Amino acid sequence: MELDIQCEEMSPSRWAELLTTMKSCKTIRLDDCNLSSSNCEDLSSIINTNPSLTELKLNNNELGDEGVEYLCKGLLTPSCSLQKLWLQNCNLTSASCETLRSVLSAQPSLTELHVGDNRLGTAGVKVLCQGMMNPSCKLQKLQLEYCELTADIVEALNAALQSKPTLKELSLSNNTLGDTAVKQLCRGLVEASCNLELLHLENCGITSDSCMDISAVLRNKSSLMDLSVGDNKIGDSGLALLCQGLMHPSCKIQKLWLWDCDLTSASCKDLSRLISTKETLTEISLIDNNLRDSGMEMLCQALKDPKSKLQELWVRECGLTAACCKAVSSALSTNKHLKVLHIGENKLGDAGVELLCEGLMHPNCNIQSLWLGNCDLTAGCCATLATVMATKQCLTELDLSYNPLEDEGIRKICEALKKPSCNVQQLILYDILWSSEVDDELRALEESKPEVKIIS
């Protein structure tokens, strides 16, 4: 049994009712439920008495260090079989880390620990690393985003990595590590026996200086499938260094996030070579990089290569215009693998989207999710979009937010949604003005087609 509740205020009677249910649950998720340390005393008892409980998710609750202390009493009992523990944004400090260290040292069933968005600090996470070094610890996933870590944490992390061959995922995003620490971390990762599959280093103060060391990890860790270095100013020179590792035959990267990395069209030659030759690569995010039309045209040429297996392309806010849309359309009509295209916040205009729709209508195109928010669209392109919606049954998600479509445009989209051939299940329409009459039509449409979700 699974209990999954979010954003609900817990009255005493409601809590008592849920406690009865929890006694037989395999998974308990209670994010944003205004829980406190007093609730943790009850949850500790559940952990102790319910050996089938394997996942506990308590994100965004004010549990505090006292609450975690209660939880850990249950986690330390021999009957506990918990595998996944989520405590993100729970107002924890370094004081919680000693208690959690005891759990890591004594509870071999625990394979995932998510404690991001807590002020654990470098001193606190050093204590967690001590727990990881215990032979009983079998941790596979460690999430430490927004934990106020500094460069001083890397020595302890590397020591833990050396002793922990089970670790597969490490997320350190949004901590001020800097180049020196990231270089040291990468050297540790190359030497460690762990088969790391995911490494997230977003917003860690990385520049091009770290990229050769990250590249070495990519070359030496064929297990690494998911790398995110978004929101770091690596620039075109850093990307060129990363690509040396990404293009290495032993690199098996699948997901690569490079959003807001100060890339320009100059990087697109390397990126195109990567997209056209690295058959393991299925998802790439280039959001908020100034690629411009010339860069996008190079990427589109790569998408047309038969060896490209890319399924998701995120190019939101990349300085694109209608001038690149013919190339995008051509790629859509050629590439059978692409399922998700995020191209919003670019000034494509109606003319650009009309061109895109030519590619979308091609039998080879299998797009499932299309994001066109804030693209300077008007009602003028909605008839063509409606035709795509009614014709392409693969299309299940469409975002048209922040475009002045007005009543005329929304009505055309609604007519398409009503058709039995339309398979769009999620339509996103944030910040678009329409009349009360159109609002009634949208509500009526949702009632007549309950599988359709209109988000506005």
Side-chain angles (χ1 to χ4, degrees), residues 14-39:
R14 175 65 168 149
W15 182 247
E17 174 195 332
L18 289 177
L19 283 173
T20 305
T21 306
M22 289 182 213
K23 289 176 182 176
S24 56
C25 284
K26 189 176 179 181
T27 299
I28 297 172
R29 300 188 191 104
L30 296 167
D31 293 348
D32 291 286
C33 286
N34 200 29
L35 304 183
S36 64
S37 59
S38 60
N39 300 107

Side-chain angles (χ1 to χ4, degrees), residues 45-339:
S45 176
I46 295 293
I47 294 167
N48 184 22
T49 57
N50 179 1
S52 64
L53 182 64
T54 58
E55 180 176 343
L56 181 60
K57 199 172 182 195
L58 302 170
N59 296 338
N60 306 318
N61 290 293
E62 291 285 319
L63 308 183
D65 297 327
E66 186 182 6
V68 167
E69 195 168 337
Y70 282 129
L71 286 179
C72 288
K73 285 177 183 175
L75 291 166
L76 287 166
T77 57
S79 58
C80 172
S81 302
L82 199 75
Q83 297 172 12
K84 302 174 183 180
L85 179 60
W86 299 66
L87 298 169
Q88 291 177 210
N89 189 27
C90 287
N91 195 26
L92 312 185
T93 71
S94 59
S96 287
C97 293
E98 185 61 50
T99 322
L100 289 167
R101 181 196 65 77
S102 301
V103 174
L104 288 170
S105 300
Q107 194 50 271
S109 68
L110 190 68
T111 57
E112 291 188 26
L113 180 61
H114 302 259
V115 286
D117 291 278
N118 289 295
R119 302 179 70 179
L120 306 183
T122 296
V125 173
K126 281 182 178 179
V127 173
L128 287 184
C129 289
Q130 291 170 18
M132 285 176 66
M133 291 174 72
N134 190 294
S136 296
C137 176
K138 306 298 180 189
L139 204 66
Q140 295 178 17
K141 299 182 183 182
L142 179 61
Q143 193 267 343
L144 295 167
E145 296 187 6
Y146 286 109
C147 283
E148 299 188 359
L149 305 182
T150 63
D152 294 339
I153 192 58
V154 173
E155 189 176 346
L157 270 176
N158 276 349
L161 288 167
Q162 290 288 349
S163 67
K164 204 49 53 195
T166 56
L167 195 72
K168 296 184 186 305
E169 297 189 7
L170 179 62
S171 181
L172 298 168
S173 295
N174 302 299
N175 289 292
T176 52
L177 302 181
D179 283 322
T180 303
V182 169
K183 286 180 180 184
Q184 187 183 349
L185 175 69
C186 289
R187 287 193 286 270
L189 285 169
V190 168
E191 294 168 7
S193 59
C194 64
N195 293 314
L196 201 70
E197 296 175 3
L198 177 148
L199 179 61
H200 284 188
L201 296 168
E202 295 181 353
N203 186 28
C204 284
I206 298 171
T207 71
S208 59
D209 288 350
S210 294
C211 290
M212 184 58 82
D213 295 274
I214 298 172
S215 192
V217 177
L218 289 161
R219 283 196 308 274
N220 287 279
K221 289 290 178 184
S222 59
S223 56
L224 189 62
M225 298 181 288
D226 184 333
L227 175 67
S228 182
V229 289
D231 202 13
N232 288 293
K233 308 305 178 190
I234 64 171
D236 297 326
S237 58
L239 189 276
L241 293 170
L242 278 187
C243 282
Q244 291 178 21
L246 290 163
M247 290 298 295
H248 194 275
S250 65
C251 175
K252 307 298 181 190
I253 198 74
Q254 294 179 12
K255 181 177 177 180
L256 180 63
W257 280 50
L258 298 165
W259 59 277
D260 195 12
C261 282
D262 274 6
L263 308 183
T264 71
S265 58
S267 283
C268 290
K269 187 175 181 181
D270 285 326
L271 289 169
S272 297
R273 197 166 85 254
L274 180 67
I275 290 169
S276 63
T277 57
K278 185 59 67 172
E279 293 187 53
T280 57
L281 185 66
T282 58
E283 180 178 336
I284 188 166
S285 171
L286 300 167
I287 290 171
D288 199 14
N289 286 294
N290 193 29
L291 308 182
R292 309 193 74 80
D293 295 324
S294 57
M296 189 62 194
E297 285 169 359
M298 281 189 265
L299 298 182
C300 289
Q301 196 60 39
L303 285 169
K304 292 164 74 173
D305 193 294
K307 293 192 291 294
S308 173
K309 299 293 187 289
L310 201 72
Q311 295 176 22
E312 297 193 23
L313 177 61
W314 301 52
V315 284
R316 195 170 71 232
E317 203 173 349
C318 286
L320 311 182
T321 72
C324 73
C325 288
K326 188 173 182 180
V328 177
S329 183
S330 179
L332 289 170
S333 66
T334 307
N335 188 307
K336 296 180 179 180
H337 302 285
L338 198 66
K339 304 277 194 298

